[in-house]
Amino acid sequence: MWSLIREDLKASVDQTRVFGAAFWVKVLGKLLITPQVQVVVLFRIGHAVAGTPLRPLAFVLRAWGLMISGAEIHPDAQIGPGMSLMHSSGVVIGGGVVAGKGLRMAQGATLGEPAGGGADANRGFPTLGDYVSLGAHAVVLGSRSLADGCVVGANSVVTRDVPELTVVVGAPAREVKTVTWVDVINRPSKD
């Protein structure tokens, strides 16, 4: 858990502009005053206790995170290291979501299960690869797969799987271009 939290905290600060002790001072400052960083730490702690007899505490932490940040991250979601919320207000991540490392989400982005019942083939939750980025109010519902390095633009609604290193926009989302790993790794950092 602690290594995941450390990677999440590092992802919240631009590592190209601050080094050494000054970097960790900035990280600590962000942890103390920014709700989008605090909710990620609360999620990590909640996720760690969700599989124990302390499971009710995981939901208390989720509620606390929602109150301070506006983001609702289910403690059963499986998210790799380096998760970063650019702005937390309105972010929703459902319990069955599986995401790789380096997930970045902007305000209002939603990852979850579609509403309603029945035998819909799209039932379930999204699966995201490494270094996926979701723009403001992007929506991914159901058993969709977003491959490594893909980008979902603001206000987009993903209705089908997204291939590796692809940018999708619109409602329904459509492919508009491909990017390289250099683009993905060097995307603008938060600060």
Side-chain angles (χ1 to χ4, degrees), residues 105-188:
M105 295 177 71
Q107 66 275 11
T110 300
L111 296 170
E113 185 175 37
D120 184 358
N122 187 35
R123 300 299 312 159
F125 290 87
T127 301
L128 288 68
D130 294 337
Y131 302 106
V132 171
S133 184
L134 300 168
H137 302 283
V139 177
V140 185
L141 299 177
S143 56
R144 303 288 177 229
S145 176
L146 281 66
D148 295 345
C150 72
V151 177
V152 179
N155 295 312
S156 297
V157 179
V158 175
T159 58
R160 61 184 120 176
D161 294 349
V162 179
E164 182 175 289
L165 299 171
T166 301
V167 177
V168 296
V169 298
R174 66 191 185 294
E175 297 177 22
V176 293
K177 71 177 188 176
T178 57
V179 294
T180 66
W181 277 111
V182 171
D183 298 326
V184 171
I185 301 302
N186 292 327
R187 65 186 166 197

Side-chain angles (χ1 to χ4, degrees), residues 2-176:
W2 298 115
S3 64
L4 289 172
I5 291 173
R6 184 180 71 242
E7 291 304 311
D8 294 339
L9 292 173
K10 286 171 58 177
S12 73
V13 175
D14 185 349
Q15 298 178 46
T16 63
R17 297 191 345 199
V18 185
F19 300 99
F23 173 78
W24 289 105
V25 167
K26 192 162 192 164
V27 167
L28 181 60
K30 289 201 78 150
L31 175 60
L32 293 174
I33 63 172
T34 56
Q36 68 265 28
V37 175
Q38 294 167 351
V39 72
V40 171
V41 172
L42 289 172
F43 159 72
R44 293 296 183 193
I45 296 167
H47 181 77
V49 300
T52 73
L54 296 175
R55 184 170 175 79
L57 175 61
F59 292 94
V60 170
L61 293 172
R62 178 176 84 166
W64 188 18
L66 179 59
M67 285 188 303
I68 65 171
S69 72
E72 184 174 2
I73 307 173
H74 197 287
D76 289 339
Q78 299 175 39
I79 302 172
M83 177 183 177
S84 175
L85 301 181
M86 293 173 269
H87 302 284
S88 57
S89 184
V91 168
V92 177
I93 301 175
V97 171
V98 176
K101 62 186 173 185
L103 173 64
R104 286 176 46 124
M105 295 177 71
Q107 66 275 11
T110 300
L111 296 170
E113 185 175 37
D120 184 358
N122 187 35
R123 300 299 312 159
F125 290 87
T127 301
L128 288 68
D130 294 337
Y131 302 106
V132 171
S133 184
L134 300 168
H137 302 283
V139 177
V140 185
L141 299 177
S143 56
R144 303 288 177 229
S145 176
L146 281 66
D148 295 345
C150 72
V151 177
V152 179
N155 295 312
S156 297
V157 179
V158 175
T159 58
R160 61 184 120 176
D161 294 349
V162 179
E164 182 175 289
L165 299 171
T166 301
V167 177
V168 296
V169 298
R174 66 191 185 294
E175 297 177 22
V176 293

